[in-house]
Amino acid sequence: MHIPYYRAIAKEHEVFEHAYTCKIPFLLKGPTGTGKSRFIEHMAYKLKTKLITISCHEETSSTDLIGRFILKGAETIWLDGPLTTAIKEGHILYLDEIAEARPDVIVAIHSLTDHRRELFIDKLGETIKAHPDFMLVASFNPGYQRGFKELKPSTRQRFAAISFHYPEAKIETEILVSETGIENDVAKKLVNIATKIRNLTELGLTETVSTRLLVDAAKLIHAGLPKRLAVHVAIVEPLTDDLEVIQALKDLSDLMI
Ligand code: ADP
């Protein structure tokens, strides 16, 4: 496997490498589709360490992370969860969208995010010390608009953090070209459409055009789908279900590509 492509925006490589050396828990903040997951995949590869990713959702509990007893034939056996495995073997554990998880997840990781670096497994009555190479990384979408879950300040302060944003136009164009092989000119137009829509704050979209949506549109165009149609299905439709807004955004983007 090649190193996952990640275009650095600022000093995130340097910062993360030092955090890894110090094993300081790390938070990647930013809207969806801004390269947080890609960044951690890239860094894990670069640092030659295994990455275990958990996509958190509202049902994700500490049991899912730590482990559980399961029935095997007539016997009950203990099965380590991904967090326990990462702690024992010394991997990076990435909790994607940590704020979505149930509150007991946050409680469970407390003792791992301070000087103790240990995990208490209540079902076994055991405390395990983290492997020196274990590191906890989480992502969080601060979502300044409605519908987003918050992360308590006391939890946030257990992490060092960097913010991810939509990259500036030149860099985002470069990402589209590198990711999909699309022509520079077309990539530029897609980025212009994104910039335009991102500035239309009056639409009140919960989330605006992410780099991920642009990459999807670019892939479809590169595969041969007509450009306007690709923009409609990959950029406009995923943004909203409001028919009037959809029509307005289609009209706007048709003029730009
Ligand atoms: P997030 O985890 O922030 O939701 P991802 O890491 O999944 O977002 O990014 C979505 C897609 O956007 C990636 O698959 C990649 O194609 C592209 N992308 C975004 N930012 C970058 C970047 N800086 N370098 C390379 N690809 C990027």
Side-chain angles (χ1 to χ4, degrees):
M1 194 183 126
H2 294 294
I3 185 159
Y5 166 70
Y6 177 77
R7 166 64 161 89
I9 312 290
K11 295 204 182 306
E12 59 267 43
H13 279 101
E14 190 184 342
V15 170
F16 190 85
E17 275 170 21
H18 284 83
Y20 182 72
T21 308
C22 304
K23 297 295 174 305
I24 295 175
F26 210 80
L27 190 62
L28 312 176
K29 301 190 288 180
T32 181
T34 43
K36 301 184 293 298
S37 301
R38 178 63 66 85
F39 173 65
I40 190 66
E41 285 162 18
H42 172 89
M43 290 312 296
Y45 189 98
K46 199 159 180 256
L47 296 164
K48 299 186 176 61
T49 175
K50 191 171 158 186
L51 174 70
I52 301 183
T53 297
I54 310 289
S55 301
C56 300
H57 52 82
E58 58 253 32
E59 296 298 326
T60 308
S61 68
S62 59
T63 303
D64 298 328
L65 263 55
I66 295 172
R68 49 166 53 93
F69 284 106
I70 57 159
L71 269 179
K72 201 173 182 196
E75 265 183 294
T76 316
I77 58 163
W78 172 259
L79 203 65
D80 280 343
L83 173 64
T84 310
T85 304
I87 288 170
K88 285 183 178 168
E89 296 177 3
H91 309 310
I92 294 182
L93 183 87
Y94 177 47
L95 297 175
D96 196 6
E97 300 286 355
I98 188 174
E100 294 292 328
R102 300 219 317 228
D104 65 341
V105 166
I106 310 285
V107 176
I109 61 170
H110 257 200
S111 56
L112 278 169
T113 51
D114 55 33
H115 64 281
R116 290 173 285 174
R117 277 178 59 86
E118 61 188 28
L119 175 73
F120 177 62
I121 306 182
D122 61 349
K123 291 197 178 91
L124 297 176
E126 251 176 51
T127 298
I128 49 172
K129 281 263 172 224
H131 186 288
D133 293 339
F134 167 75
M135 182 177 181
L136 184 71
V137 180
S139 78
F140 169 59
N141 181 348
Y144 301 104
Q145 275 146 325
R146 64 202 135 82
F148 285 90
K149 292 197 183 159
E150 269 304 323
L151 205 55
K152 281 202 295 193
S154 56
T155 305
R156 299 159 69 110
Q157 292 209 14
R158 293 176 168 268
F159 293 84
I162 46 176
S163 285
F164 286 70
H165 307 282
Y166 307 117
E168 61 176 82
K170 202 164 149 270
I171 296 177
E172 199 164 37
T173 307
E174 187 188 318
I175 292 172
L176 295 187
V177 172
S178 305
E179 273 286 279
T180 70
I182 199 176
E183 284 165 41
N184 197 65
D185 257 16
V186 184
K188 253 189 189 163
K189 286 181 181 159
L190 289 174
V191 171
N192 284 343
I193 292 174
T195 308
K196 187 92 187 169
I197 298 177
R198 285 170 188 158
N199 288 331
L200 294 174
T201 44
E202 64 271 24
L203 292 182
L205 300 170
T206 324
E207 289 258 287
T208 186
V209 186
S210 65
T211 307
R212 177 187 293 125
L213 294 187
L214 291 183
V215 168
D216 290 346
K219 278 184 184 160
L220 292 174
I221 293 171
H222 193 59
L225 197 69
K227 296 187 193 77
R228 287 180 179 173
L229 186 54
V231 170
H232 293 178
V233 299
I235 299 178
V236 177
E237 291 283 356
L239 284 182
T240 174
D241 299 318
D242 182 322
L243 295 177
E244 273 178 32
V245 177
I246 289 178
Q247 196 51 54
L249 292 180
K250 282 182 178 172
D251 293 345
L252 174 87
S253 56
D254 284 355
L255 292 173
M256 298 180 72
I257 196 159

